[in-house]
Amino acid sequence: YDGQTGKELARTDYIGREPLSQWGEAGLDIYALAHRASSSMMAIIYIDGKTPGLVICRGIYFRTKMVAYNFKNGNLTELWKFDSAEWPQEYRGQGNHNLSVGDVDQDGRDEIIYGSMTIDHDGKGLYGTGLGHGDAMHVTDMNPDRPGLEVWQAHETSTGGSYRDARTGEILHRYVANRDMG
């Protein structure tokens, strides 16, 4: 949309959610699957370091799908797709109730920090920690004595909280708890 007039500039379909069974383990009822399939987020990212783009995301608990677009000359052009089902286990069920965008590898292009995993600017997995879904997350240069950015994440499972290197996923500190840390 044009920010001054509200006029629609471009349109695309959102990531489909059917069939609902793809969003959870066998045995979940239709309401749990629909909830998981309806978890959606989006953000503005600089995929090439200079042109604003859009990434749309669906899913956080079991499966995650993302699509990135460039907006140029009034058109949305699809750049890449990501589907956690096509990646190793440490990319599945790693989403958060929020996402962050930042240049974690200092290459001048933005990455998507999506809970316990980070997706590179080209739509390929940079890393997955395997620590699972979380409720809260912060990405910034928390330790000025260390180069680069760090991630603090509160997990919604018994994995507690984690503090990690945003570029590599290396766990720098971990708080283990037996309850939801969100």
Side-chain angles (χ1 to χ4, degrees):
Y1 293 94
D2 181 298
Q4 293 180 330
T5 67
K7 177 185 173 212
E8 182 179 292
L9 300 176
R11 177 183 292 250
T12 189
D13 291 333
Y14 210 88
I15 300 166
R17 67 180 211 152
E18 301 300 331
L20 288 178
S21 59
Q22 71 179 307
W23 300 101
E25 305 88 347
L28 285 177
D29 65 38
I30 193 74
Y31 301 105
L33 291 170
H35 169 68
R36 289 176 174 211
S38 297
S39 297
S40 302
M41 290 177 265
M42 62 180 68
I44 301 299
I45 60 174
Y46 284 80
I47 297 169
D48 64 4
K50 51 189 178 248
T51 308
L54 172 69
V55 64
I56 62 173
C57 313
R58 182 183 291 279
I60 57 177
Y61 299 104
F62 181 76
R63 185 176 191 174
T64 300
K65 293 183 178 184
M66 299 180 187
V67 182
Y69 297 93
N70 253 350
F71 179 71
K72 211 180 226 181
N73 301 322
N75 296 305
L76 285 169
T77 305
E78 184 180 300
L79 299 175
W80 52 257
K81 289 182 177 180
F82 173 87
D83 184 343
S84 65
E86 298 168 359
W87 285 83
Q89 187 64 40
E90 61 265 20
Y91 288 91
R92 298 180 195 159
Q94 302 303 303
N96 234 52
H97 288 295
N98 61 345
L99 65 88
S100 287
V101 172
D103 182 9
V104 302
D105 56 8
Q106 300 176 349
D107 66 355
R109 298 171 287 198
D110 285 337
E111 283 73 44
I112 300 105
I113 304 96
Y114 205 75
S116 294
M117 68 177 172
T118 295
I119 308 306
D120 210 348
H121 67 276
D122 59 3
K124 299 199 177 359
L126 193 60
Y127 65 83
T129 68
L131 292 177
H133 164 69
D135 285 341
M137 177 182 68
H138 303 281
V139 181
T140 191
D141 187 5
M142 293 177 214
N143 182 350
D145 296 330
R146 280 188 90 253
L149 304 175
E150 293 85 30
V151 179
W152 167 254
Q153 182 181 3
H155 301 280
E156 191 179 287
T157 61
S158 61
T159 57
S162 62
Y163 175 66
R164 72 180 189 256
D165 181 290
R167 182 179 61 81
T168 67
E170 174 191 0
I171 304 300
L172 304 171
H173 182 74
R174 189 160 168 214
Y175 174 75
V176 179
N178 61 0
R179 62 185 174 85
D180 180 342
M181 291 302 297

